[in-house]
Amino acid sequence: MQQQHQASINMDTSVKALANFNNRLFFIDLLKAMSITAVVSFHAMFVPRSSYESSALLLDILFAPLKFCVPVLLTISFLLLERGLVNKPEFNKWNLLTKRLTRLLIPAGFWFTIAALLKLITGNSLKTITLQILTGNIFTGAYYFLIIFQLFIVLILVRNSLKKARNFLLAVFCQVVIFVLIYASLSQQIFPGLIPILRQIDRPLIIYWFVYIAMGVFFYHKLPSLMQISTSFSRVWKVIILLSLSCLIISEYSLLSNLTQGKIPPFDYLIYSCIISVPVMFICFSSVVESQVSPGIRKLVYLLSKYSLGIFCINGILSQILLSFGSRWFSEFTFSFKEALIIKFFGWIFLLLISLAFSIMLEKFGFKKLVC
């Protein structure tokens, strides 16, 4: 009886929160904060891989459950874009899309330029730098911007159709089929010559990502249902669901590692459970409201969410700089799994905090568009 009463209270709170979605939903900030924190974890090793080679695969598998981060960030980007398009019908849709695209182009252009100049100073050729820009490797995680720009174009063409459940399921089905075909190619069953081409194109290729447009648009229109489902689950069940998702991602990532003989990139997100992770994260956290968390956590969530763009770019550039120094200083070292885990954990905290600090500083100096 008490659980039903609490569920009713949570439902009323969620409904009120949804009514204010034109302003802000706390769970969106929470998912952004969690996702950007997870992103930084993948960039937090500042020693050469050769120094912990025996533990590298185990370390990668241990952190694999955090791979929900990029799918969730992509979905949120298109959910918020859909909200803007729906809530401002008086605005020209093309002008609104152009404005959003420009908002991304400014920070992308700036950080790509900074990274390119650093590469040039350290002796990289223009040809190498150009190739790194085109493949999204000019700094760690730069491919995200190239994905977003491609998906913007696709969104313009298919947005209205994605509001229907049938078309949403069709998009999910097509994404799964593509994954199946690539897995078959990786296992040498069909098109074995496809894999070298995919490796050369690298992560920005749109075929890995288009399902997240569908999720962003469809989830925006189904938010009340998602929040009701979230409210209906107890915390215990949510923990069980998240643990199950983690085990599934670890299993798939291990399989992918075997298929690629440990050479996973650019297939890092070629995991069915990455697709599943998005509805799971929305269902587990969409009923969370700010009154349920302490003021300190709430402030941290808003900071990480607000500066997620700056953290994403700064940590990507800074991690490469730190790794270049670490590769010189620790090339002769050999670290055990425990030592490598400690290095990664403290590197993660340091990189997150320093990226957040730089983002706040840049905003104070008048460069808000580069970090927010």
Side-chain angles (χ1 to χ4, degrees), residues 6 9-18 24-28 30 227 230-231 235 238 284-294 298 302:
Q6 184 62 42
I9 294 174
N10 290 342
M11 176 62 74
D12 291 340
T13 307
S14 297
V15 169
K16 290 178 182 178
L18 187 59
R24 203 169 195 126
L25 270 180
F26 177 74
F27 92 87
I28 294 292
L30 178 61
M227 296 175 78
S230 179
T231 304
R235 290 182 181 179
K238 288 178 181 179
C284 287
F285 293 99
S286 61
S287 61
V288 178
V289 293
E290 60 182 359
S291 60
Q292 294 175 320
V293 300
S294 65
R298 193 186 314 157
Y302 282 133

Side-chain angles (χ1 to χ4, degrees), residues 44-293:
M45 280 304 274
F46 310 138
V47 295
R49 193 176 180 89
S50 58
S51 66
Y52 63 98
E53 191 64 46
S54 61
S55 307
L57 179 58
L58 181 57
L59 207 59
D60 290 343
I61 291 173
L62 182 64
F63 280 82
L66 298 182
K67 285 197 172 292
F68 70 84
C69 56
V70 173
V72 168
L73 285 174
L74 286 171
T75 301
I76 289 175
S77 294
F78 291 101
L79 183 149
L80 295 176
L81 180 57
E82 177 66 11
R83 180 192 67 173
L85 292 169
V86 169
N87 292 339
K88 296 180 181 178
E90 71 278 6
F91 286 89
N92 181 284
K93 296 292 188 290
W94 286 97
N95 289 342
L96 186 59
L97 287 168
T98 302
K99 183 179 178 181
R100 291 295 180 93
L101 191 58
T102 303
R103 186 179 174 184
L104 275 173
L105 280 170
I106 291 172
F110 176 82
W111 294 114
F112 271 56
T113 301
I114 292 295
L117 289 173
L118 289 172
K119 298 275 186 179
L120 195 62
I121 292 170
T122 52
N124 289 272
S125 67
L126 287 175
K127 181 181 178 181
T128 300
I129 292 171
T130 302
L131 183 61
Q132 289 179 337
I133 291 173
L134 294 176
T135 57
N137 290 314
I138 192 63
F139 61 84
T140 309
Y143 66 89
Y144 182 84
F145 287 101
L146 302 184
I147 295 166
I148 284 284
F149 296 145
Q150 294 175 79
L151 294 183
F152 255 100
I153 297 170
V154 176
L155 177 69
I156 293 169
L157 300 175
V158 302
R159 172 182 166 254
N160 290 327
S161 63
L162 293 176
K163 299 174 187 176
K164 299 178 180 178
R166 179 184 61 187
N167 294 328
F168 166 70
L169 292 174
L170 179 61
V172 175
F173 174 75
C174 291
Q175 186 73 82
V176 170
V177 168
I178 288 174
F179 279 20
V180 169
L181 292 174
I182 297 176
Y183 268 108
S185 185
L186 282 168
S187 59
Q188 303 291 313
Q189 295 177 14
I190 58 171
F191 312 128
L194 177 63
I195 300 305
I197 297 172
L198 294 179
R199 288 192 181 280
Q200 189 171 8
I201 298 173
D202 220 296
R203 293 182 184 91
L205 190 59
I206 196 172
I207 63 172
Y208 307 122
W209 311 102
F210 64 81
V211 70
Y212 303 115
I213 308 176
M215 287 188 175
V217 174
F218 187 73
F219 283 7
Y220 170 76
H221 293 280
K222 297 298 179 182
L223 267 182
S225 299
L226 288 171
M227 296 175 78
Q228 287 178 7
I229 294 170
S230 179
T231 304
S232 68
F233 282 103
S234 67
R235 290 182 181 179
V236 173
W237 273 109
K238 288 178 181 179
V239 170
I240 293 172
I241 291 169
L242 290 171
L243 289 175
S244 300
L245 174 65
S246 297
C247 292
L248 184 59
I249 294 177
I250 286 173
S251 299
E252 282 196 72
Y253 194 81
S254 300
L255 173 63
L256 185 61
S257 178
N258 290 332
L259 280 175
T260 59
Q261 297 179 336
K263 299 177 182 178
I264 294 178
F267 307 115
D268 311 59
Y269 293 92
L270 190 73
I271 301 175
Y272 302 106
S273 44
C274 277
I275 300 174
I276 297 170
S277 71
V278 178
V280 166
M281 295 298 286
F282 270 75
I283 287 171
C284 287
F285 293 99
S286 61
S287 61
V288 178
V289 293
E290 60 182 359
S291 60
Q292 294 175 320
V293 300

